[in-house]
Structure formats: structure tokens, C-alpha cells
Amino acid sequence: MTEIILPGVVEPEGLEVRSRPVPTPGPGEALVRVEATGVSFAEQQMRRGRYYDQPAYPFIPGYDLVGTVAATGPGVDPGLVGTRVAALTKIGGWSTHAVRDAADLVPVPAGLRAADAETVVVNGITAWQMLHRHARVRAGQTVLVLGANGGVGSTLVQLARLAGARVIGTASPRHHDALRDAGVIPVDYRGDVTTQVRAVAPDGVNAVFDHVGGPGIVASWKLLRRGGTLVSYGTASTRDDTGNRQLPVLKLLGRLYLWNLLPNGRRASFYNVWGGRALNRKRFQARLRTDLTAVLEAMAAGRLTARVAAELPLTRAAEALRLAESGTVAGKIVLTP
């Protein structure tokens, strides 16, 4: 098997390509032959040592994957072999083979390309759960999506439109035509976002989805109307900072907690895709399976379109990571082992 190693805090070109024997799955596990994995914002943070709970170096990056089950371990139905599946991994996806807990694998509907399905694993779960489990967006409401052209953002705007919401999305002007084609009202993130959003929604919006964090989170909070929800799911503004990697998240959590104490009818929450896993793993797995299945079925039915920014071979992971960090592409960059 071939795998990509992140050896420490390095430039993308510092990633290492390594070969080793294909592992054998243990009890309750399955061996997946990876067909597609992706580059997410998490890998950008991890290579800088800035991801909140990343493991010690060295490790194999790769937050999610799509592939075919090649073998099963004791206690796992052998009939699973040959099934195409998706998995949320956090690390380990950038490899030609991966051993996963069989209970973490979600079947992928027939007819979907592996690369297309890959675009909505972590991005689809994140978007679906923020929209339906956190903000509970309903038809007729207005939502603001920051980074509407990105991996999560491009999926989120589609799901919000499917839910019947009016969507305002921030992006650079070169992406505005594509957003309009998707039924989104575009806003230039480099301008006065508050003024631009107020021009469209004078009374504020029902939900804001903010991956930026930092000082700008205040503007997101103020754009909510009464009864609205702010869903924060990242601290992209601190990607290039130095110092304690956990401090930006802790500061953000403290701010959100204090805002929830205010008697103004608005609500703030922080979304963590791994939330609840440590407390009740089986419940977490069941919820993940339900939500990811809904997203994949929407794609299979043609209601959700894959946003593939680029497809590159696994061995060109450094190039893919550099491209992702350039901020010049829309959608998700996919690695195909």
C-alpha cells in the first residue's frame, strides 16, 4: 500500500510518500481499498500544527474517504466485501488502503462516482447537521453562508435551497456568477458584508453559518434577527497564527456561551462533527449513518451536485494541498489513489 505521511510542521512539499504491506483487519474491522479521499481545511491546519486535537506527528492525514471493502475481520459480515462505502476518519484517508471500524462505514448508492461521493462525506455531514440539527432551518427563512464557494459552503447552500430557504453567500466576485446560477444571492466578502447583507435582509437573517471565527464572529452575531441562530464551525481566520492552537477555539466557545446568556432571543452554537462520539459512540454512529445516507441519496437522485474543484493522484498530495491553500478554487479537491 501507499500512504502520505505528515512528518511535522512542514510546507506541503514536506509531505512524504511511504509504502508498506497492506494491513489485515482485526475484530470488528474492515479493510477498505480507497478510491477517493479529499483535502479539507483540517489538513491545512494540521500541517501547521493548528488543528485543535490533532495527533502527534507523524501521521497520515485524510479526514474522509470513499472506497470498496476488500476484506473483513472476525465478527464482520463477509458479505460486506465488494460494497462501496464512505467513512469519516479525521486522519488516515490519504492512503491506498485503510482499516476502519466496520460500524463507521456507510454504504454509497450505486451509480455515484467515488470522487463525487467523496465531496459530501465530511462536507455533507457538516452541512446537513448544521442546517437541520443545529439551526433547524425551514422553508421561507433566510440564511447567510460564509465561504459559499468552499467545500462545506457549496454543499450547505445547495442543502439550504433544497430546504426552501433563501440563501445569501459570501465569496470573491469571480465566484458570484456560479453562486447566482445556484440560486444564491452573492456578497463580496472583501467589502462591508454587514451593509450588503442588510440591503437584502433589513431585519436580519434566521441563521448564519460561520467558519471564520476571530473578531468577525461579532458581525455574524449582529446579523441575526430575533429567534435566529449562529452556527460557528471553525476558526479559519487563525490558520496562520502561532502559539497555542487550542486558545482560538476556547475563546470562541467562551464568547458563544456568554451570548447565549443574553435575553435577546438569539442563539449561538459551535458545531463539531465529532460531537457526542466520546459520550455515546453507537448513537454517534447511528446519527452519522442516517445523515450521510440522506446526503448521498440526495446526490444519487440528482438533487445535490458534486463540487469537485480538482482531481489529482494521491502521490501529488503536496500539489493538492498547495492548491487548496491558494484559495483560488471552488468546491473540494479530491485525491484518487
Side-chain angles (χ1 to χ4, degrees):
M1 63 181 286
T2 300
E3 57 193 15
I4 307 300
I5 302 297
L6 179 59
V9 178
V10 296
E11 292 299 311
E13 293 72 23
L15 292 170
E16 300 173 358
V17 181
R18 186 175 72 183
S19 295
R20 66 182 178 91
V22 175
T24 300
E29 296 178 335
L31 173 68
V32 179
R33 177 174 53 80
V34 181
E35 298 171 38
T37 181
V39 182
S40 65
F41 187 71
E43 286 87 36
Q44 300 175 40
Q45 291 179 302
M46 287 178 182
R47 81 157 187 86
R48 294 169 169 83
R50 299 292 300 168
Y51 191 77
Y52 182 82
D53 60 350
Q54 69 184 74
Y57 299 115
F59 60 87
I60 305 168
Y63 218 91
D64 55 6
L65 61 83
V66 171
T68 298
V69 176
T72 57
V76 179
D77 180 7
L80 195 60
V81 173
T83 303
R84 175 172 279 172
V85 295
L88 190 66
T89 58
K90 185 179 285 188
I91 61 170
W94 290 8
S95 179
T96 58
H97 298 77
V99 172
R100 309 304 308 173
D101 185 333
D104 289 331
L105 304 178
V106 179
V108 174
L112 285 183
R113 282 198 327 133
D116 291 344
E118 207 290 323
T119 66
V120 294
V121 183
V122 63
N123 291 347
I125 294 168
T126 298
W128 180 275
Q129 293 186 342
M130 290 195 302
L131 189 73
H132 295 293
R133 293 189 182 274
H134 279 245
R136 298 183 178 88
V137 171
R138 301 185 302 277
Q141 294 187 332
T142 300
V143 304
L144 172 63
V145 178
L146 303 191
N149 63 295
V152 174
S154 61
T155 303
L156 183 53
V157 297
Q158 292 185 76
L159 291 176
R161 292 285 295 155
L162 287 174
R166 182 173 67 154
V167 182
I168 305 169
T170 71
S172 62
R174 66 177 175 274
H175 298 299
H176 284 191
D177 285 344
L179 289 178
R180 291 189 186 95
D181 290 343
V184 178
I185 303 168
V187 164
D188 186 352
Y189 80 94
R190 294 175 299 186
D192 186 338
V193 171
T194 297
T195 299
Q196 294 175 80
V197 172
R198 289 289 186 189
V200 178
D203 297 327
V205 297
N206 299 97
V208 180
F209 301 94
D210 187 318
H211 69 294
V212 181
I217 197 76
V218 177
S220 293
W221 173 252
K222 290 181 177 179
L223 281 169
L224 290 176
R225 64 184 305 164
R226 186 170 183 82
T229 302
L230 167 64
V231 183
S232 171
Y233 65 105
T235 56
S237 63
T238 67
R239 186 191 70 174
D240 298 320
D241 290 357
T242 58
N244 189 314
R245 66 172 178 259
Q246 297 177 332
L247 191 57
V249 175
L250 295 176
K251 285 183 176 179
L252 177 59
L253 291 174
R255 174 173 273 167
L256 300 180
Y257 174 78
L258 290 175
W259 280 342
N260 281 327
L261 298 178
L262 299 176
N264 56 21
R266 294 178 289 181
R267 186 169 61 91
S269 67
F270 184 82
Y271 173 79
N272 173 14
V273 71
W274 300 101
R277 185 172 186 267
L279 295 176
N280 190 327
R281 184 163 182 166
K282 288 187 177 180
R283 181 170 179 264
F284 171 86
Q285 290 169 327
R287 184 176 59 185
L288 185 147
R289 178 181 289 264
T290 296
D291 296 344
L292 181 53
T293 296
V295 174
L296 289 169
E297 288 180 347
M299 177 172 279
R303 298 193 302 272
L304 185 64
T305 302
R307 295 285 191 259
V308 179
E311 287 184 47
L312 294 169
L314 177 67
T315 51
R316 292 169 62 185
E319 181 182 340
L321 185 54
R322 181 69 73 184
L323 181 60
E325 294 184 0
S326 72
T328 60
V329 296
K332 187 163 187 180
I333 297 172
V334 177
L335 293 171
T336 52

